[in-house]
Amino acid sequence: MNGSNSRKIKLLKIWEILNQDTDENNPMPTPVLIEKLAECGIEVDRKILYSDIKLLNDFGYEVMCRRSSSNEYYVADRKFDIPEIHILMDAVRAAGFITQKKTDELVNKIAQLAGSQRAEVLTRNTVEFNTMKSINENIYYSVYEIASAIEEKKKISFSYFDYDIKRRKVYRKKKSDPTQNRKYKVNPLATVFSNDNYYLICYDDWFGNLSHYRVDRMDEVTMLDTPISEEAQSDKIDIVKHKQELFGMFGGDKQVVSFEADKGLIDVVFDFFGADLYISEASGNKIIFTAEVQVSKPFIAWCCSFGTGVKVTAPKSVADMVKNYLTETLGQY
């Protein structure tokens, strides 16, 4: 290796070692850094090391120096702060669609963003979530295919399944031969995290509407050579609005529904319908509001979950659905 290339590798290894093994609370003394470089087959003395550190700083790779009888070096500026890394780790642990094996791998990788000195502390000083984890180990492959197809605006095909009582896959859309299953073919548009699950939102050419599928229930996901349809790229499709209308990712007939609710539920109402929702005051410490929703069983269940705290006032057809739901539920007991 010539002298020029040797120096480039040396600068790279200095930055790599300091970035991985140091922070403001754990600086690396000069002798230790020289020793670590020697373990990589790179010999350097103190004076040359000082000039190398200066060169890194000159080109924007900030290495801090704590002056002492033996200078100590560390990297303080990182892409992610400790609170940000904690949030990412907690989000992965709470995500039910990620298997336990992949959860452990991802958490360790995220912790390494803080450097090796803090990674062990981060992984040790965290709370394990009591989350039911997926058992589908193919989810990473599925996500890769879906993300690639969305980026390249191509259709995808996949098989979709449910579990039976013995946790065996039961595929939907079976042909006459029960060992075969017909593939779904859709236009992928976006992925969304909802209620601890990961969903694909797509446009279905056959039905002419938006639909959604749990990614951990998708098998054999394949990006096709076929471009997504013109209908799927229409400006009329509003994915954000579609997601706001859903309850628990269950679709239904889109309707404008009016409500009366206790004033103490304002935060809950904003959480479900968005902060832009217009709410007005009514008599008796009540509020009234109107929202466009897709009327589904989870939506009806939400209306009933607050007892007398929430009431559907219009249209009558939706109010009747709530009453029928309560009557049928009561009939079980």
Side-chain angles (χ1 to χ4, degrees), residues 2-20:
N2 62 44
S4 176
N5 287 335
S6 177
R7 190 174 191 199
K8 290 177 183 177
I9 292 297
K10 179 175 62 174
L11 291 171
L12 178 63
K13 292 306 294 185
I14 291 172
W15 175 252
E16 182 181 282
I17 290 169
L18 293 176
N19 190 55
Q20 182 63 32

Side-chain angles (χ1 to χ4, degrees), residues 144-205:
Y144 174 80
E145 288 291 304
I146 292 169
S148 299
I150 291 173
E151 182 178 356
E152 297 186 29
K153 295 187 176 181
K154 298 289 184 66
K155 293 185 179 183
I156 63 169
S157 68
F158 59 92
S159 303
Y160 200 65
F161 65 87
D162 301 297
Y163 287 113
D164 64 14
I165 60 175
K166 295 184 179 179
R167 292 290 271 179
R168 294 175 301 197
K169 295 177 181 178
V170 179
Y171 288 93
R172 299 186 186 181
K173 284 193 169 184
K174 288 185 178 179
K175 294 182 179 179
S176 55
D177 182 356
T179 64
Q180 302 294 321
N181 51 285
R182 187 166 67 241
K183 295 289 188 70
Y184 289 72
K185 292 182 181 179
V186 299
N187 303 276
L189 299 178
T191 50
V192 61
F193 183 69
S194 178
N195 295 329
D196 293 337
N197 289 308
Y198 201 37
Y199 291 87
L200 165 68
I201 295 182
C202 54
Y203 183 82
D204 191 309
D205 290 325

Side-chain angles (χ1 to χ4, degrees), residues 119-299:
E120 184 179 352
V121 176
L122 280 169
T123 53
R124 186 173 64 243
N125 294 340
T126 50
V127 177
E128 290 293 337
F129 288 83
N130 185 24
T131 302
M132 296 300 296
K133 288 289 186 176
S134 169
I135 61 174
N136 184 1
E137 290 288 352
N138 294 324
I139 189 167
Y140 268 42
Y141 170 80
S142 299
V143 171
Y144 174 80
E145 288 291 304
I146 292 169
S148 299
I150 291 173
E151 182 178 356
E152 297 186 29
K153 295 187 176 181
K154 298 289 184 66
K155 293 185 179 183
I156 63 169
S157 68
F158 59 92
S159 303
Y160 200 65
F161 65 87
D162 301 297
Y163 287 113
D164 64 14
I165 60 175
K166 295 184 179 179
R167 292 290 271 179
R168 294 175 301 197
K169 295 177 181 178
V170 179
Y171 288 93
R172 299 186 186 181
K173 284 193 169 184
K174 288 185 178 179
K175 294 182 179 179
S176 55
D177 182 356
T179 64
Q180 302 294 321
N181 51 285
R182 187 166 67 241
K183 295 289 188 70
Y184 289 72
K185 292 182 181 179
V186 299
N187 303 276
L189 299 178
T191 50
V192 61
F193 183 69
S194 178
N195 295 329
D196 293 337
N197 289 308
Y198 201 37
Y199 291 87
L200 165 68
I201 295 182
C202 54
Y203 183 82
D204 191 309
D205 290 325
W206 180 263
F207 293 102
N209 59 14
L210 291 175
S211 54
H212 20 82
Y213 300 90
R214 276 179 55 170
V215 177
D216 61 314
R217 299 292 174 87
M218 298 167 68
D219 253 357
E220 302 172 319
V221 181
T222 305
M223 180 174 65
L224 305 176
D225 291 331
T226 312
I228 64 173
S229 64
E230 292 183 8
E231 292 81 1
Q233 302 180 64
S234 171
D235 293 337
K236 295 179 180 179
I237 295 178
D238 190 336
I239 296 176
V240 175
K241 188 171 184 289
H242 174 75
K243 174 61 175 67
Q244 290 174 341
E245 294 169 352
L246 296 173
F247 272 76
M249 295 304 292
F250 283 82
D253 293 333
K254 187 184 298 186
Q255 297 195 50
V256 176
V257 181
S258 297
F259 302 84
E260 181 183 87
D262 291 343
K263 186 178 289 187
L265 295 175
I266 289 178
D267 288 342
V268 174
V269 170
F270 279 139
D271 285 344
F272 272 88
F273 298 101
D276 294 332
L277 181 73
Y278 177 74
I279 298 177
S280 56
E281 293 193 37
S283 60
N285 205 35
K286 297 284 186 177
I287 57 172
I288 54 175
F289 60 95
T290 299
E292 190 172 43
V293 300
Q294 294 193 31
V295 179
S296 61
K297 283 189 176 181
F299 164 72

